[in-house]
Amino acid sequence: MSGTPVSSMLLMLVASLIGSSGAVLLKLGAMELNKGFWHILNLKLAAGVAVYLVSWYVFVLGIRHGELSVLYPMVSLGYIWTLLWARLFFKEPFTREKFAGLALILLGVFFVGLGSK
Amino acid sequence: MNSTAANLARPTDVPPRRPLVLVFGCTVLGAAAQIFMKFGANRLTHPGLIGMATNLPLFCGLVLYGLSTVLLVLALKDGELSLLYPVIALTYVWVTVLSLVLLHDKPNPYKLAGIAIIVIGVSVLGRRGKR
């Protein structure tokens, strides 16, 4: 952990937050598809993809310095934010399965990060 | 009550299969996209826009990314965001497996343990949810 600058961790945190807002925009845009497939060309989806690109850029900035085992799993923090936004904006329930599954996935990504150079 | 109403009254605590299958496809295509990008980046001799525009693997990678995004959106149309979004972590699993097979990466115990735990996590997410 000592080899990882706080600035890199902050960048990863920011990337995960931006990415999770991109996920909310994708969900909002996806709901337009109930009117027909070609509603896939809508502003919310375009905004979602744009926000993803921004989050990817911040991610690349963040991952340049420091240990991947610390930085890699931080992107998965986005899954936690998304769980919160989904409850807040789309009234999706919290379930035990979601918490347990998410915890396991975070642990798994942590291990993948440990194994990455 | 007609049959549509009966369908709507179906218990909602079991995650529907279709969105899960779509996200599954999204992660496979996303992983393939990453592998193509890696291939493309390795043989990128002329950096800059022209070098990138004439690089076929890089182009294929972009197209696959586009397709995987379409699948994700189709999944989100009917599925829960909080359920489907973490499933995207399966991409790590496919990338690790494909890198072992295609790029001849050395197997790494941490990575193997990690992808095993991710697979268990995803299968827990797909189970019947109690509120």
Side-chain angles (χ1 to χ4, degrees):
Chain A
M1 194 112 174
S2 54
T4 307
V6 177
S7 58
S8 291
M9 290 194 221
L10 281 176
L11 282 170
M12 297 312 263
L13 188 68
V14 170
S16 76
L17 279 167
I18 298 175
S20 69
S21 60
V24 171
L25 284 166
L26 281 192
K27 172 70 182 170
L28 279 172
M31 296 192 315
E32 304 265 311
L33 263 74
N34 287 318
K35 295 183 238 161
F37 178 77
W38 288 108
H39 284 88
I40 197 162
L41 301 169
N42 69 64
L43 214 60
K44 289 165 194 155
L45 278 184
V49 172
V51 166
Y52 260 118
L53 290 176
V54 173
S55 109
W56 180 75
Y57 180 69
V58 178
F59 167 77
V60 171
L61 287 183
I63 209 143
R64 284 184 308 171
H65 307 291
E67 286 170 41
L68 283 183
S69 58
V70 180
L71 297 175
Y72 227 58
M74 286 194 73
V75 187
S76 321
L77 290 177
Y79 301 148
I80 300 177
W81 315 138
T82 308
L83 191 71
L84 297 176
W85 304 149
R87 162 116 174 186
L88 202 63
F89 297 123
F90 307 115
K91 309 273 183 287
E92 294 180 6
F94 286 158
T95 63
R96 266 191 299 170
E97 281 70 15
K98 283 180 193 169
F99 285 118
L102 195 56
L104 284 166
I105 288 170
L106 289 176
L107 185 68
V109 176
F110 171 73
F111 271 97
V112 171
L114 271 184
S116 307
K117 278 174 268 134
Chain B
M1 235 198 249
N2 60 31
S3 61
T4 341
N7 274 338
L8 286 174
R10 217 161 33 118
T12 51
D13 57 346
V14 184
R17 289 292 120 179
R18 208 178 86 102
L20 277 172
V21 171
L22 284 167
V23 168
F24 201 81
C26 153
T27 63
V28 173
L29 291 183
Q34 285 190 31
I35 298 287
F36 269 102
M37 292 260 183
K38 174 82 178 151
F39 263 124
N42 282 349
R43 40 172 276 193
L44 197 62
T45 40
H46 309 287
L49 269 183
I50 298 187
M52 279 159 80
T54 54
N55 187 313
L56 192 62
L58 218 55
F59 179 76
C60 290
L62 272 178
V63 170
L64 285 171
Y65 259 129
L67 287 175
S68 93
T69 309
V70 170
L71 287 190
L72 175 63
V73 168
L74 288 175
L76 285 175
K77 179 169 90 84
D78 304 310
E80 287 190 12
L81 176 65
S82 53
L83 188 88
L84 297 173
Y85 198 60
V87 177
I88 297 174
L90 276 182
T91 310
Y92 290 110
V93 176
W94 312 135
V95 168
T96 306
V97 172
L98 286 173
S99 304
L100 281 175
V101 177
L102 296 177
L103 304 175
H104 307 294
D105 276 9
K106 279 188 225 111
N108 173 314
Y110 289 113
K111 275 194 182 178
L112 294 180
I115 63 174
I117 300 170
I118 291 173
V119 168
I120 299 171
V122 169
S123 56
V124 169
L125 271 176
R127 285 178 54 206
R128 177 189 296 262
K130 289 196 187 68
R131 303 203 177 165

